[in-house]
């Protein structure tokens, strides 16, 4: 879909530019670097995160681009069909799901490492000196 500048994206989603920059920094919204080398945002990404977009010309009138409407028309005469929006939304959702799956895999691998270390500690602790009985441990006697 169309790419817009960060300022234009903030206007279209109805948030402050600083809020949008914070969302980019936190990873809630992903940015792309355009052909001119400047950061921009894809409108499908904005739809995924914020839902509705305001499409406006420089004039007074503006339409809202809804995620689940049948046919949408902007002030500039562009037409977006429900299928176009659904495809863009599904692509964005797939991308987010794949990113979450990668995060889950990394977290799983970290936990596996923790479990292996714990298992190694338990195995090493059991191979040392013989275990004392309860009374010997209570009264500090060695067997």
């Amino acid at each position: 879909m169309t790419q817009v500048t960060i300022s234009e994206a903030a206007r279209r989603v109805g948030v402050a530019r600083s809020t949008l920059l914070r969302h980019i920094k936190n990873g809630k919204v992903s940015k792309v670097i355009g052909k001119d080398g400047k950061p921009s945002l894809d409108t499908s990404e904005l739809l995924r995160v914020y839902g509705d977009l305001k499409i406006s010309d420089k004039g007074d009138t503006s339409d809202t681009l809804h995620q689940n409407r049948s046919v949408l028309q902007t002030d500039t005469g562009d037409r977006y069909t429900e299928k176009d929006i659904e495809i863009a939304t599904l692509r964005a959702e797939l991308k987010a799901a794949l990113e979450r799956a990668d995060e889950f895999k990394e977290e799983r691998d970290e936990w596996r490492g923790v479990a292996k270390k714990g298992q190694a500690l338990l195995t090493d602790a059991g191979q040392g000196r013989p275990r004392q009985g309860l009374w010997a441990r209570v009264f500090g006697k060695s067997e």
Side-chain angles (χ1 to χ4, degrees):
M1 287 191 99
T2 308
Q3 293 183 357
V4 294
T5 64
I6 292 175
S7 297
E8 178 65 22
R11 278 191 293 275
R12 288 187 182 197
V13 298
V15 298
R17 187 174 189 272
S18 60
T19 302
L20 188 58
L21 287 170
R22 188 174 55 250
H23 290 172
I24 292 169
K25 183 178 179 184
N26 294 339
K28 183 177 179 181
V29 181
S30 60
K31 68 177 179 179
V32 295
I33 304 298
K35 294 177 183 175
D36 57 357
K38 296 181 180 178
S40 60
L41 300 171
D42 196 59
T43 53
S44 63
E45 178 72 0
L46 297 174
L47 280 170
R48 178 186 70 83
V49 176
Y50 298 103
D52 295 343
L53 295 181
K54 295 175 187 141
I55 310 279
S56 64
D57 225 359
K58 302 282 192 252
D60 295 328
T61 60
S62 68
D63 292 333
T64 300
L65 178 64
H66 296 283
Q67 199 167 352
N68 296 318
R69 301 286 189 247
S70 60
V71 177
L72 305 163
Q73 186 162 356
T74 65
D75 293 336
T76 59
D78 295 336
R79 293 183 68 86
Y80 295 98
T81 64
E82 180 180 355
K83 293 194 184 303
D84 293 333
I85 294 171
E86 184 177 8
I87 289 169
T89 303
L90 290 173
R91 284 181 179 162
E93 288 175 3
L94 176 61
K95 180 181 176 185
L98 291 173
E99 288 172 0
R100 282 193 309 269
D102 289 340
E103 290 172 7
F104 288 140
K105 287 176 184 176
E106 289 173 8
E107 189 174 333
R108 177 201 63 198
D109 292 341
E110 289 175 17
W111 281 112
R112 278 185 180 165
V114 169
K116 285 182 181 180
K117 287 179 184 176
Q119 186 178 13
L121 288 172
L122 289 173
T123 305
D124 292 344
Q127 293 177 356
R129 59 187 173 90
R131 184 169 164 90
Q132 293 179 330
L134 174 66
W135 293 110
R137 283 182 281 158
V138 171
F139 293 110
K141 297 179 182 178
S142 60
E143 293 181 353

